[in-house]
Amino acid sequence: MLTSTDFSGLINQRFFNNFLPKPAVNKLYMEVCPPDFELPDIKGNRRLKLSEYRGKQPVILAFTRIFTEKQYCPLCFPHIKAMNQAYEKFTEAGAEVLMISSTDEQQSKIVIEDLHIKMPLLSDPKCGVFRAYGTGQALGAPLPAQFVLDRQGKLRYKHLFSFLDPNAGVEKLLEALKNL
């Protein structure tokens, strides 16, 4: 499923840095705090640090694959929409969802507007956080992954990309929150 026939902006430095396939090799341990990071929250127009949530509330890290502001991964596009539709369910469960994309800040602004994104959308165009979390990469973009962190910031659930199960669905993520 193509989300657009406009491929402008697809070939860039990020594309070349993520072209060769690298499988998801996440070595983060359960019940341990994963690496902290600070990224621009394009939706909230501020810099956001993961450690701000420690001791406050659970967090879902939803790493997603967006090629450009007009080209979404066909496996991630429905997941982005589902996560956005279910955002209130996550917040009612006491969690914050941080969607992380490798699109740059300008592309991310367009994504927020086009998809009416409700949750924070963090921009990681150099893919440093994707690499720190071992999500893998292929064909010009990092691969998707989802992580659930408890109130203390400890990893309680992780889902890494595979073609058979590319993204953890909303229900799986809500279930992981119930088990905290």
Side-chain angles (χ1 to χ4, degrees), residues 26-180:
N26 177 273
K27 296 180 182 178
L28 300 177
Y29 295 104
M30 299 303 271
E31 301 188 26
V32 173
C33 292
D36 193 16
F37 59 81
E38 184 175 341
L39 290 172
D41 168 12
I42 308 307
K43 174 79 176 159
N45 198 26
R46 64 184 181 115
R47 292 201 58 86
L48 190 143
K49 196 168 187 177
L50 178 60
S51 59
E52 292 172 14
Y53 292 95
R54 286 192 189 138
K56 295 179 185 170
Q57 69 186 112
V59 175
I60 297 171
L61 301 176
F63 289 84
T64 193
R65 187 172 162 95
I66 301 173
F67 299 114
T68 74
E69 70 277 10
K70 294 181 177 54
Q71 290 297 326
Y72 299 86
C73 166
L75 301 173
C76 292
F77 184 67
H79 186 256
I80 295 167
K81 291 177 73 171
M83 292 293 290
N84 197 47
Q85 276 187 317
Y87 182 62
E88 286 80 13
K89 289 181 182 179
F90 292 115
T91 58
E92 287 168 10
E96 179 61 277
V97 178
L98 303 178
M99 186 161 283
I100 304 167
S101 169
S102 63
T103 51
D104 65 30
E105 292 187 32
Q106 191 58 40
Q107 291 171 324
S108 296
K109 287 177 184 176
I110 294 168
V111 168
I112 288 168
E113 186 177 310
D114 284 352
L115 298 182
H116 308 287
I117 298 294
K118 301 173 194 173
M119 67 202 90
L121 179 65
L122 310 183
S123 174
D124 183 24
K126 293 185 180 178
C127 306
V129 178
F130 281 90
R131 286 190 183 86
Y133 279 71
T135 65
Q137 67 184 43
L139 302 174
L143 296 173
Q146 294 79 40
F147 302 90
V148 176
L149 311 179
D150 66 15
R151 278 183 167 69
Q152 289 73 42
K154 295 178 181 176
L155 181 62
R156 297 297 181 164
Y157 174 86
K158 63 181 170 180
H159 179 91
L160 302 174
F161 174 85
S162 76
F163 281 109
L164 297 176
D165 195 12
N167 290 288
V170 168
E171 294 307 318
K172 277 188 185 177
L173 295 169
L174 286 169
E175 188 64 32
L177 287 174
K178 287 181 191 174
N179 293 329
L180 298 182

